[in-house]
Amino acid sequence: MLQRIRSWVRGMVRRARSDGGMTTSEYAVGTIAACAFAAVLYKVVTSPPVMTALQSLLKDALDAKF
């Protein structure tokens, strides 16, 4: 997973360097930061404790009596 992200980021950096329309480096840095945040969030959400809590929450919601 981490290797895929690194490869993707390298590709984005290469494209950003060759893109004549990019006028500021802030856009590229912001994109990379957003991707890094998404990767960390994905790891947290797919961790066993969080998955167990989410499954428990969904099970309780589906088993609710109306």
Side-chain angles (χ1 to χ4, degrees):
M1 173 76 181
L2 191 56
Q3 183 63 26
R4 269 201 223 158
I5 293 170
R6 285 181 182 161
S7 175
W8 183 81
V9 168
R10 284 186 194 123
M12 289 297 292
V13 169
R14 275 190 225 115
R15 279 185 244 141
R17 287 182 182 161
S18 66
D19 188 3
M22 184 161 296
T23 58
T24 61
S25 62
E26 289 88 4
Y27 181 74
V29 171
T31 302
I32 292 170
C35 292
F37 179 72
V40 169
L41 186 61
Y42 175 78
K43 280 296 204 180
V44 168
V45 170
T46 58
S47 68
V50 174
M51 288 294 288
T52 302
L54 288 173
Q55 288 174 350
S56 174
L57 181 70
L58 286 173
K59 183 177 181 247
D60 291 345
L62 294 174
D63 289 341
K65 294 183 181 178
F66 294 101

mmCIF file of all heavy atoms in Angstrom, residues 8-53:
data_model
loop_
_atom_site.group_PDB
_atom_site.id
_atom_site.type_symbol
_atom_site.label_atom_id
_atom_site.label_comp_id
_atom_site.label_asym_id
_atom_site.label_seq_id
_atom_site.Cartn_x
_atom_site.Cartn_y
_atom_site.Cartn_z
ATOM 1 N N TRP A 8 2.615 6.731 -6.730
ATOM 2 C CA TRP A 8 1.632 7.696 -7.206
ATOM 3 C C TRP A 8 2.128 9.123 -6.981
ATOM 4 O O TRP A 8 1.991 9.977 -7.854
ATOM 5 C CB TRP A 8 0.302 7.470 -6.500
ATOM 6 C CG TRP A 8 -0.774 8.373 -7.002
ATOM 7 C CD1 TRP A 8 -1.525 8.221 -8.128
ATOM 8 C CD2 TRP A 8 -1.196 9.598 -6.405
ATOM 9 N NE1 TRP A 8 -2.401 9.264 -8.250
ATOM 10 C CE2 TRP A 8 -2.215 10.123 -7.210
ATOM 11 C CE3 TRP A 8 -0.822 10.281 -5.267
ATOM 12 C CZ2 TRP A 8 -2.862 11.304 -6.912
ATOM 13 C CZ3 TRP A 8 -1.464 11.469 -4.970
ATOM 14 C CH2 TRP A 8 -2.475 11.965 -5.788
ATOM 15 N N VAL A 9 2.687 9.367 -5.787
ATOM 16 C CA VAL A 9 3.189 10.709 -5.473
ATOM 17 C C VAL A 9 4.325 11.078 -6.417
ATOM 18 O O VAL A 9 4.381 12.202 -6.922
ATOM 19 C CB VAL A 9 3.640 10.796 -3.999
ATOM 20 C CG1 VAL A 9 4.418 12.074 -3.733
ATOM 21 C CG2 VAL A 9 2.435 10.719 -3.079
ATOM 22 N N ARG A 10 5.235 10.145 -6.685
ATOM 23 C CA ARG A 10 6.325 10.421 -7.619
ATOM 24 C C ARG A 10 5.782 10.779 -9.005
ATOM 25 O O ARG A 10 6.266 11.697 -9.657
ATOM 26 C CB ARG A 10 7.244 9.207 -7.720
ATOM 27 C CG ARG A 10 8.141 9.055 -6.530
ATOM 28 C CD ARG A 10 9.134 7.917 -6.744
ATOM 29 N NE ARG A 10 9.741 7.577 -5.484
ATOM 30 C CZ ARG A 10 9.733 6.373 -4.930
ATOM 31 N NH1 ARG A 10 9.159 5.359 -5.558
ATOM 32 N NH2 ARG A 10 10.306 6.167 -3.774
ATOM 33 N N GLY A 11 4.774 10.040 -9.440
ATOM 34 C CA GLY A 11 4.154 10.336 -10.731
ATOM 35 C C GLY A 11 3.519 11.718 -10.750
ATOM 36 O O GLY A 11 3.651 12.453 -11.729
ATOM 37 N N MET A 12 2.851 12.077 -9.660
ATOM 38 C CA MET A 12 2.232 13.401 -9.575
ATOM 39 C C MET A 12 3.291 14.505 -9.598
ATOM 40 O O MET A 12 3.108 15.532 -10.248
ATOM 41 C CB MET A 12 1.399 13.511 -8.292
ATOM 42 C CG MET A 12 0.134 12.684 -8.315
ATOM 43 S SD MET A 12 -1.022 13.205 -9.583
ATOM 44 C CE MET A 12 -1.494 14.791 -8.953
ATOM 45 N N VAL A 13 4.386 14.267 -8.905
ATOM 46 C CA VAL A 13 5.455 15.265 -8.877
ATOM 47 C C VAL A 13 6.042 15.434 -10.276
ATOM 48 O O VAL A 13 6.291 16.552 -10.732
ATOM 49 C CB VAL A 13 6.541 14.885 -7.845
ATOM 50 C CG1 VAL A 13 7.776 15.754 -8.000
ATOM 51 C CG2 VAL A 13 5.985 15.003 -6.430
ATOM 52 N N ARG A 14 6.255 14.315 -10.968
ATOM 53 C CA ARG A 14 6.791 14.400 -12.342
ATOM 54 C C ARG A 14 5.842 15.184 -13.244
ATOM 55 O O ARG A 14 6.271 16.025 -14.029
ATOM 56 C CB ARG A 14 7.004 12.996 -12.905
ATOM 57 C CG ARG A 14 8.324 12.420 -12.524
ATOM 58 C CD ARG A 14 8.580 11.125 -13.302
ATOM 59 N NE ARG A 14 9.088 10.167 -12.346
ATOM 60 C CZ ARG A 14 8.510 9.046 -11.964
ATOM 61 N NH1 ARG A 14 7.376 8.687 -12.520
ATOM 62 N NH2 ARG A 14 9.040 8.267 -11.071
ATOM 63 N N ARG A 15 4.545 14.891 -13.127
ATOM 64 C CA ARG A 15 3.571 15.600 -13.957
ATOM 65 C C ARG A 15 3.488 17.072 -13.589
ATOM 66 O O ARG A 15 3.323 17.923 -14.448
ATOM 67 C CB ARG A 15 2.194 14.948 -13.823
ATOM 68 C CG ARG A 15 2.067 13.733 -14.705
ATOM 69 C CD ARG A 15 0.670 13.178 -14.650
ATOM 70 N NE ARG A 15 0.813 11.850 -14.056
ATOM 71 C CZ ARG A 15 -0.004 11.302 -13.201
ATOM 72 N NH1 ARG A 15 -1.067 11.934 -12.818
ATOM 73 N NH2 ARG A 15 0.223 10.107 -12.709
ATOM 74 N N ALA A 16 3.595 17.365 -12.304
ATOM 75 C CA ALA A 16 3.526 18.763 -11.866
ATOM 76 C C ALA A 16 4.720 19.543 -12.378
ATOM 77 O O ALA A 16 4.606 20.716 -12.735
ATOM 78 C CB ALA A 16 3.459 18.830 -10.342
ATOM 79 N N ARG A 17 5.868 18.908 -12.426
ATOM 80 C CA ARG A 17 7.058 19.597 -12.915
ATOM 81 C C ARG A 17 6.962 19.869 -14.413
ATOM 82 O O ARG A 17 7.468 20.870 -14.889
ATOM 83 C CB ARG A 17 8.303 18.760 -12.627
ATOM 84 C CG ARG A 17 8.672 18.768 -11.170
ATOM 85 C CD ARG A 17 9.919 17.973 -10.935
ATOM 86 N NE ARG A 17 10.233 17.955 -9.508
ATOM 87 C CZ ARG A 17 11.018 17.081 -8.941
ATOM 88 N NH1 ARG A 17 11.592 16.140 -9.650
ATOM 89 N NH2 ARG A 17 11.255 17.133 -7.652
ATOM 90 N N SER A 18 6.333 18.968 -15.151
ATOM 91 C CA SER A 18 6.263 19.141 -16.594
ATOM 92 C C SER A 18 5.018 19.918 -17.038
ATOM 93 O O SER A 18 4.900 20.271 -18.183
ATOM 94 C CB SER A 18 6.286 17.781 -17.289
ATOM 95 O OG SER A 18 5.122 17.059 -16.966
ATOM 96 N N ASP A 19 4.111 20.171 -16.116
ATOM 97 C CA ASP A 19 2.860 20.850 -16.454
ATOM 98 C C ASP A 19 3.099 22.349 -16.577
ATOM 99 O O ASP A 19 3.455 23.020 -15.625
ATOM 100 C CB ASP A 19 1.819 20.567 -15.371
ATOM 101 C CG ASP A 19 0.443 21.069 -15.748
ATOM 102 O OD1 ASP A 19 0.273 21.581 -16.862
ATOM 103 O OD2 ASP A 19 -0.452 20.941 -14.918
ATOM 104 N N GLY A 20 2.890 22.883 -17.763
ATOM 105 C CA GLY A 20 3.092 24.306 -17.983
ATOM 106 C C GLY A 20 2.013 25.156 -17.335
ATOM 107 O O GLY A 20 2.211 26.334 -17.086
ATOM 108 N N GLY A 21 0.860 24.585 -17.038
ATOM 109 C CA GLY A 21 -0.230 25.344 -16.463
ATOM 110 C C GLY A 21 -0.120 25.547 -14.962
ATOM 111 O O GLY A 21 -0.809 26.368 -14.394
ATOM 112 N N MET A 22 0.741 24.796 -14.287
ATOM 113 C CA MET A 22 0.864 24.951 -12.845
ATOM 114 C C MET A 22 1.715 26.180 -12.544
ATOM 115 O O MET A 22 2.857 26.263 -12.958
ATOM 116 C CB MET A 22 1.473 23.713 -12.207
ATOM 117 C CG MET A 22 1.519 23.832 -10.697
ATOM 118 S SD MET A 22 1.713 22.295 -9.853
ATOM 119 C CE MET A 22 0.234 21.455 -10.285
ATOM 120 N N THR A 23 1.142 27.128 -11.839
ATOM 121 C CA THR A 23 1.858 28.372 -11.570
ATOM 122 C C THR A 23 2.416 28.438 -10.166
ATOM 123 O O THR A 23 3.298 29.218 -9.900
ATOM 124 C CB THR A 23 0.935 29.578 -11.799
ATOM 125 O OG1 THR A 23 -0.204 29.434 -10.951
ATOM 126 C CG2 THR A 23 0.494 29.656 -13.251
ATOM 127 N N THR A 24 1.883 27.624 -9.237
ATOM 128 C CA THR A 24 2.385 27.686 -7.862
ATOM 129 C C THR A 24 2.685 26.301 -7.339
ATOM 130 O O THR A 24 2.056 25.308 -7.705
ATOM 131 C CB THR A 24 1.354 28.336 -6.919
ATOM 132 O OG1 THR A 24 0.176 27.548 -6.924
ATOM 133 C CG2 THR A 24 1.027 29.751 -7.343
ATOM 134 N N SER A 25 3.664 26.225 -6.468
ATOM 135 C CA SER A 25 4.004 24.941 -5.851
ATOM 136 C C SER A 25 3.038 24.608 -4.722
ATOM 137 O O SER A 25 2.978 23.458 -4.278
ATOM 138 C CB SER A 25 5.441 24.975 -5.328
ATOM 139 O OG SER A 25 5.563 25.974 -4.338
ATOM 140 N N GLU A 26 2.281 25.593 -4.250
ATOM 141 C CA GLU A 26 1.337 25.336 -3.161
ATOM 142 C C GLU A 26 0.275 24.319 -3.572
ATOM 143 O O GLU A 26 -0.165 23.511 -2.760
ATOM 144 C CB GLU A 26 0.651 26.632 -2.709
ATOM 145 C CG GLU A 26 1.553 27.586 -1.969
ATOM 146 C CD GLU A 26 2.295 28.525 -2.888
ATOM 147 O OE1 GLU A 26 2.055 28.480 -4.117
ATOM 148 O OE2 GLU A 26 3.112 29.298 -2.384
ATOM 149 N N TYR A 27 -0.145 24.380 -4.815
ATOM 150 C CA TYR A 27 -1.150 23.431 -5.291
ATOM 151 C C TYR A 27 -0.617 22.008 -5.216
ATOM 152 O O TYR A 27 -1.304 21.097 -4.744
ATOM 153 C CB TYR A 27 -1.539 23.791 -6.726
ATOM 154 C CG TYR A 27 -2.596 22.880 -7.303
ATOM 155 C CD1 TYR A 27 -3.920 22.986 -6.904
ATOM 156 C CD2 TYR A 27 -2.268 21.905 -8.236
ATOM 157 C CE1 TYR A 27 -4.890 22.156 -7.430
ATOM 158 C CE2 TYR A 27 -3.230 21.075 -8.765
ATOM 159 C CZ TYR A 27 -4.539 21.201 -8.360
ATOM 160 O OH TYR A 27 -5.483 20.377 -8.863
ATOM 161 N N ALA A 28 0.607 21.795 -5.651
ATOM 162 C CA ALA A 28 1.208 20.466 -5.633
ATOM 163 C C ALA A 28 1.410 19.981 -4.200
ATOM 164 O O ALA A 28 1.115 18.824 -3.874
ATOM 165 C CB ALA A 28 2.535 20.476 -6.378
ATOM 166 N N VAL A 29 1.887 20.864 -3.328
ATOM 167 C CA VAL A 29 2.111 20.486 -1.930
ATOM 168 C C VAL A 29 0.779 20.166 -1.254
ATOM 169 O O VAL A 29 0.669 19.194 -0.495
ATOM 170 C CB VAL A 29 2.861 21.602 -1.179
ATOM 171 C CG1 VAL A 29 2.912 21.330 0.309
ATOM 172 C CG2 VAL A 29 4.269 21.753 -1.735
ATOM 173 N N GLY A 30 -0.237 20.940 -1.535
ATOM 174 C CA GLY A 30 -1.558 20.678 -0.970
ATOM 175 C C GLY A 30 -2.130 19.352 -1.425
ATOM 176 O O GLY A 30 -2.741 18.623 -0.640
ATOM 177 N N THR A 31 -1.926 19.019 -2.688
ATOM 178 C CA THR A 31 -2.406 17.742 -3.215
ATOM 179 C C THR A 31 -1.695 16.581 -2.540
ATOM 180 O O THR A 31 -2.325 15.593 -2.145
ATOM 181 C CB THR A 31 -2.191 17.679 -4.736
ATOM 182 O OG1 THR A 31 -2.884 18.770 -5.342
ATOM 183 C CG2 THR A 31 -2.698 16.380 -5.312
ATOM 184 N N ILE A 32 -0.393 16.692 -2.391
ATOM 185 C CA ILE A 32 0.378 15.624 -1.746
ATOM 186 C C ILE A 32 -0.030 15.491 -0.280
ATOM 187 O O ILE A 32 -0.181 14.379 0.240
ATOM 188 C CB ILE A 32 1.885 15.881 -1.894
ATOM 189 C CG1 ILE A 32 2.274 15.718 -3.363
ATOM 190 C CG2 ILE A 32 2.698 14.951 -1.018
ATOM 191 C CD1 ILE A 32 3.673 16.167 -3.695
ATOM 192 N N ALA A 33 -0.239 16.624 0.391
ATOM 193 C CA ALA A 33 -0.659 16.579 1.794
ATOM 194 C C ALA A 33 -2.037 15.935 1.936
ATOM 195 O O ALA A 33 -2.269 15.146 2.857
ATOM 196 C CB ALA A 33 -0.672 17.987 2.375
ATOM 197 N N ALA A 34 -2.942 16.243 1.022
ATOM 198 C CA ALA A 34 -4.278 15.645 1.067
ATOM 199 C C ALA A 34 -4.210 14.139 0.849
ATOM 200 O O ALA A 34 -4.916 13.372 1.521
ATOM 201 C CB ALA A 34 -5.172 16.287 0.019
ATOM 202 N N CYS A 35 -3.340 13.710 -0.051
ATOM 203 C CA CYS A 35 -3.183 12.276 -0.296
ATOM 204 C C CYS A 35 -2.569 11.574 0.910
ATOM 205 O O CYS A 35 -2.965 10.459 1.264
ATOM 206 C CB CYS A 35 -2.333 12.040 -1.535
ATOM 207 S SG CYS A 35 -3.159 12.558 -3.031
ATOM 208 N N ALA A 36 -1.616 12.215 1.539
ATOM 209 C CA ALA A 36 -1.005 11.633 2.734
ATOM 210 C C ALA A 36 -2.036 11.523 3.854
ATOM 211 O O ALA A 36 -2.105 10.496 4.555
ATOM 212 C CB ALA A 36 0.185 12.475 3.182
ATOM 213 N N PHE A 37 -2.854 12.550 4.021
ATOM 214 C CA PHE A 37 -3.903 12.507 5.033
ATOM 215 C C PHE A 37 -4.905 11.394 4.734
ATOM 216 O O PHE A 37 -5.335 10.670 5.638
ATOM 217 C CB PHE A 37 -4.621 13.853 5.102
ATOM 218 C CG PHE A 37 -5.733 13.885 6.098
ATOM 219 C CD1 PHE A 37 -5.472 13.893 7.451
ATOM 220 C CD2 PHE A 37 -7.051 13.901 5.670
ATOM 221 C CE1 PHE A 37 -6.506 13.906 8.373
ATOM 222 C CE2 PHE A 37 -8.090 13.915 6.578
ATOM 223 C CZ PHE A 37 -7.812 13.924 7.939
ATOM 224 N N ALA A 38 -5.257 11.230 3.464
ATOM 225 C CA ALA A 38 -6.187 10.161 3.079
ATOM 226 C C ALA A 38 -5.592 8.791 3.376
ATOM 227 O O ALA A 38 -6.296 7.886 3.828
ATOM 228 C CB ALA A 38 -6.528 10.280 1.600
ATOM 229 N N ALA A 39 -4.293 8.619 3.147
ATOM 230 C CA ALA A 39 -3.638 7.340 3.426
ATOM 231 C C ALA A 39 -3.650 7.040 4.918
ATOM 232 O O ALA A 39 -3.930 5.901 5.338
ATOM 233 C CB ALA A 39 -2.205 7.353 2.896
ATOM 234 N N VAL A 40 -3.372 8.045 5.739
ATOM 235 C CA VAL A 40 -3.388 7.852 7.194
ATOM 236 C C VAL A 40 -4.804 7.542 7.663
ATOM 237 O O VAL A 40 -5.020 6.631 8.475
ATOM 238 C CB VAL A 40 -2.829 9.096 7.916
ATOM 239 C CG1 VAL A 40 -3.075 9.030 9.409
ATOM 240 C CG2 VAL A 40 -1.341 9.247 7.626
ATOM 241 N N LEU A 41 -5.780 8.261 7.148
ATOM 242 C CA LEU A 41 -7.168 8.018 7.526
ATOM 243 C C LEU A 41 -7.605 6.612 7.125
ATOM 244 O O LEU A 41 -8.289 5.921 7.882
ATOM 245 C CB LEU A 41 -8.066 9.063 6.868
ATOM 246 C CG LEU A 41 -9.531 9.042 7.264
ATOM 247 C CD1 LEU A 41 -9.688 9.288 8.755
ATOM 248 C CD2 LEU A 41 -10.292 10.097 6.484
ATOM 249 N N TYR A 42 -7.197 6.164 5.955
ATOM 250 C CA TYR A 42 -7.522 4.811 5.496
ATOM 251 C C TYR A 42 -6.936 3.771 6.452
ATOM 252 O O TYR A 42 -7.602 2.805 6.818
ATOM 253 C CB TYR A 42 -6.989 4.597 4.078
ATOM 254 C CG TYR A 42 -7.188 3.194 3.574
ATOM 255 C CD1 TYR A 42 -8.432 2.769 3.113
ATOM 256 C CD2 TYR A 42 -6.147 2.276 3.570
ATOM 257 C CE1 TYR A 42 -8.627 1.480 2.660
ATOM 258 C CE2 TYR A 42 -6.329 0.985 3.122
ATOM 259 C CZ TYR A 42 -7.566 0.596 2.665
ATOM 260 O OH TYR A 42 -7.751 -0.697 2.230
ATOM 261 N N LYS A 43 -5.686 3.979 6.854
ATOM 262 C CA LYS A 43 -5.042 3.039 7.783
ATOM 263 C C LYS A 43 -5.767 3.001 9.117
ATOM 264 O O LYS A 43 -5.943 1.944 9.710
ATOM 265 C CB LYS A 43 -3.570 3.426 8.006
ATOM 266 C CG LYS A 43 -2.675 2.985 6.899
ATOM 267 C CD LYS A 43 -2.654 1.494 6.824
ATOM 268 C CE LYS A 43 -1.412 0.988 6.168
ATOM 269 N NZ LYS A 43 -1.378 -0.448 6.088
ATOM 270 N N VAL A 44 -6.196 4.158 9.605
ATOM 271 C CA VAL A 44 -6.896 4.211 10.891
ATOM 272 C C VAL A 44 -8.243 3.509 10.786
ATOM 273 O O VAL A 44 -8.616 2.698 11.640
ATOM 274 C CB VAL A 44 -7.076 5.672 11.357
ATOM 275 C CG1 VAL A 44 -8.040 5.772 12.519
ATOM 276 C CG2 VAL A 44 -5.727 6.265 11.737
ATOM 277 N N VAL A 45 -8.986 3.799 9.737
ATOM 278 C CA VAL A 45 -10.327 3.229 9.592
ATOM 279 C C VAL A 45 -10.274 1.723 9.380
ATOM 280 O O VAL A 45 -11.163 1.000 9.817
ATOM 281 C CB VAL A 45 -11.092 3.937 8.450
ATOM 282 C CG1 VAL A 45 -12.384 3.227 8.106
ATOM 283 C CG2 VAL A 45 -11.381 5.373 8.846
ATOM 284 N N THR A 46 -9.241 1.220 8.733
ATOM 285 C CA THR A 46 -9.149 -0.219 8.486
ATOM 286 C C THR A 46 -8.389 -0.965 9.580
ATOM 287 O O THR A 46 -8.160 -2.159 9.445
ATOM 288 C CB THR A 46 -8.482 -0.495 7.125
ATOM 289 O OG1 THR A 46 -7.197 0.108 7.102
ATOM 290 C CG2 THR A 46 -9.339 0.012 5.987
ATOM 291 N N SER A 47 -8.019 -0.277 10.661
ATOM 292 C CA SER A 47 -7.345 -0.961 11.765
ATOM 293 C C SER A 47 -8.359 -1.855 12.488
ATOM 294 O O SER A 47 -9.558 -1.568 12.522
ATOM 295 C CB SER A 47 -6.728 0.046 12.724
ATOM 296 O OG SER A 47 -7.735 0.764 13.394
ATOM 297 N N PRO A 48 -7.891 -2.959 13.067
ATOM 298 C CA PRO A 48 -8.813 -3.899 13.729
ATOM 299 C C PRO A 48 -9.709 -3.281 14.802
ATOM 300 O O PRO A 48 -10.911 -3.578 14.823
ATOM 301 C CB PRO A 48 -7.873 -4.966 14.311
ATOM 302 C CG PRO A 48 -6.682 -4.934 13.405
ATOM 303 C CD PRO A 48 -6.526 -3.498 13.012
ATOM 304 N N PRO A 49 -9.210 -2.434 15.718
ATOM 305 C CA PRO A 49 -10.123 -1.881 16.726
ATOM 306 C C PRO A 49 -11.244 -1.021 16.123
ATOM 307 O O PRO A 49 -12.397 -1.089 16.556
ATOM 308 C CB PRO A 49 -9.218 -1.021 17.616
ATOM 309 C CG PRO A 49 -7.843 -1.478 17.365
ATOM 310 C CD PRO A 49 -7.827 -2.031 15.986
ATOM 311 N N VAL A 50 -10.909 -0.224 15.134
ATOM 312 C CA VAL A 50 -11.918 0.640 14.519
ATOM 313 C C VAL A 50 -12.905 -0.196 13.716
ATOM 314 O O VAL A 50 -14.114 0.056 13.745
ATOM 315 C CB VAL A 50 -11.250 1.728 13.655
ATOM 316 C CG1 VAL A 50 -12.285 2.542 12.906
ATOM 317 C CG2 VAL A 50 -10.386 2.632 14.514
ATOM 318 N N MET A 51 -12.397 -1.198 12.996
ATOM 319 C CA MET A 51 -13.292 -2.073 12.232
ATOM 320 C C MET A 51 -14.270 -2.788 13.157
ATOM 321 O O MET A 51 -15.463 -2.900 12.850
ATOM 322 C CB MET A 51 -12.487 -3.092 11.427
ATOM 323 C CG MET A 51 -11.745 -2.500 10.254
ATOM 324 S SD MET A 51 -12.826 -1.877 8.971
ATOM 325 C CE MET A 51 -13.440 -3.378 8.291
ATOM 326 N N THR A 52 -13.785 -3.260 14.305
ATOM 327 C CA THR A 52 -14.651 -3.936 15.271
ATOM 328 C C THR A 52 -15.725 -2.981 15.785
ATOM 329 O O THR A 52 -16.899 -3.358 15.886
ATOM 330 C CB THR A 52 -13.813 -4.474 16.440
ATOM 331 O OG1 THR A 52 -12.818 -5.353 15.927
ATOM 332 C CG2 THR A 52 -14.676 -5.218 17.435
ATOM 333 N N ALA A 53 -15.332 -1.764 16.104
ATOM 334 C CA ALA A 53 -16.294 -0.777 16.604
ATOM 335 C C ALA A 53 -17.337 -0.443 15.534
ATOM 336 O O ALA A 53 -18.526 -0.348 15.832
ATOM 337 C CB ALA A 53 -15.564 0.485 17.046
#
